[in-house]
Amino acid sequence: MCYVNYVKECISFMEYAANERVSASEQSLWHTLFHLMNQRANGSDWPEGFISIPNARVLLYMNVDEKTLSGARNRLVQRGLIEYIKGDRQSRAPQYKLKYFSTELSTDNPHYVHGCGNYSGNQGGNQGGNQGGNQGGNQGGNRAHLNVNLYGKPNRNPNAYDDDDHEEGEISRAREAMGRIVEDTYLRCIGRAPVPIERQQLITVALDCGMLPDMAEQAIGRAALRNAKSPALYAMELMRDWEHHKVHTMDDLVEYEHKRM
């Protein structure tokens, strides 16, 4: 297992994506894999090797066709951001390994840093290392590491998702509902619709942090009031801060802000 900081990793990838002109489908796939790796994490210890993820599971989050998925996957492999083992439709699902931009000190041995397929060490060099360290450290701060099961259910065998159509339906409906809130609020408060990657990130963070729809709406509205340069990033940071302080409802928020006065 690798010791990974959720916030630093997200920021590092977003900086890399902007600098390297990573396409929307590539970004969507990376965030999907990152989210699914987080589901299999144990606290701050994340999967180091390959994990099996059925195409149907990936497509559920990306909302694209298989051809687009295949193209995005090949480009991420070429960039050195992931490793991929092709599956067999009859017997096994495809396998993915995510190359983390930066890993932190092991919880077992504080003087040892895991290698764990680190992108900055294997391919990114100074760019990946500086982004993962300086950018992630300055902006990510000391946010809590996230390992959130969307519905508070116990973690299960990664390969068991295929057999649980009910849970797939719940997740799909939750994402659709949150997506409508994100789109409507963004258009009303920011003055434009969110681009696909902003929409995907906001939905994922809101659900991972256990936010109700009105809390996601509140976060986007506050980003607009602050005239944030990146409204989506500002709103996501707000929701992560609220989750860290166990703020999930408007009543929680009122109490939290009253205590800070």
Side-chain angles (χ1 to χ4, degrees):
M1 302 290 280
C2 304
Y3 192 73
V4 176
N5 182 298
Y6 185 103
V7 175
K8 288 183 180 180
E9 199 70 20
C10 276
I11 293 173
S12 296
F13 175 74
M14 290 177 72
E15 291 297 318
Y16 172 87
N19 292 332
E20 299 297 323
R21 300 181 182 277
V22 177
S23 70
S25 61
E26 292 172 75
Q27 293 187 45
S28 179
L29 175 56
W30 187 91
H31 281 284
T32 295
L33 295 176
F34 184 65
H35 173 65
L36 295 175
M37 292 287 179
N38 176 243
Q39 286 188 330
R40 291 157 176 77
N42 179 17
S44 298
D45 289 324
W46 287 48
E48 179 175 355
F50 286 91
I51 65 171
S52 297
I53 309 176
N55 283 342
R57 179 74 173 163
V58 176
L59 293 171
L60 176 68
Y61 287 94
M62 291 185 66
N63 194 28
V64 298
D65 57 31
E66 289 198 15
K67 182 178 180 180
T68 302
L69 166 60
S70 178
R73 183 171 57 215
N74 290 339
R75 289 190 293 273
L76 288 186
V77 169
Q78 292 169 4
R79 292 180 185 275
L81 296 180
I82 66 171
E83 292 184 23
Y84 170 73
I85 298 176
K86 186 177 181 181
D88 186 319
R89 290 182 181 273
Q90 303 301 322
S91 60
R92 68 177 186 277
Q95 297 182 57
Y96 293 86
K97 179 179 180 180
L98 194 61
K99 299 294 193 71
Y100 303 111
F101 281 79
S102 61
T103 52
E104 301 185 356
L105 296 177
S106 166
T107 53
D108 298 325
N109 182 353
H111 300 293
Y112 175 70
V113 179
H114 290 290
C116 47
N118 189 309
Y119 173 84
S120 61
N122 292 343
Q123 178 156 340
N126 292 334
Q127 181 188 47
N130 291 338
Q131 288 176 353
N134 298 335
Q135 183 74 17
N138 292 339
Q139 296 187 29
N142 293 317
R143 300 289 188 194
H145 302 297
L146 299 181
N147 176 28
V148 182
N149 187 307
L150 294 181
Y151 297 95
K153 297 180 180 179
N155 289 332
R156 301 179 292 116
N157 186 320
N159 294 323
Y161 284 109
D162 270 355
D163 301 324
D164 197 343
D165 293 336
H166 178 66
E167 184 179 16
E168 292 282 5
E170 286 185 352
I171 294 173
S172 179
R173 287 190 293 272
R175 292 187 66 85
E176 288 176 5
M178 188 63 73
R180 288 193 293 271
I181 291 295
V182 166
E183 290 175 354
D184 292 346
T185 308
Y186 221 87
L187 186 60
R188 185 176 70 254
C189 296
I190 309 299
R192 64 171 176 84
V195 298
I197 190 62
E198 290 175 328
R199 182 182 183 277
Q200 167 127 353
Q201 290 171 344
L202 284 163
I203 293 171
T204 298
V205 170
L207 293 177
D208 280 355
C209 291
M211 295 294 136
L212 295 176
D214 59 348
M215 293 296 287
E217 185 177 12
Q218 184 72 204
I220 297 170
R222 293 186 178 205
L225 288 174
R226 289 295 299 268
N227 197 26
K229 183 177 180 180
S230 175
L233 183 58
Y234 186 93
M236 287 187 285
E237 286 297 295
L238 267 183
M239 289 188 284
R240 290 181 181 120
D241 179 70
W242 293 339
E243 191 275 337
H244 178 60
H245 291 91
K246 303 187 185 306
V247 175
H248 298 101
T249 68
M250 287 302 299
D251 288 341
D252 293 339
L253 183 58
V254 170
E255 182 180 354
Y256 169 60
E257 293 187 332
H258 179 72
K259 289 179 179 179
R260 295 182 62 184
M261 297 179 74

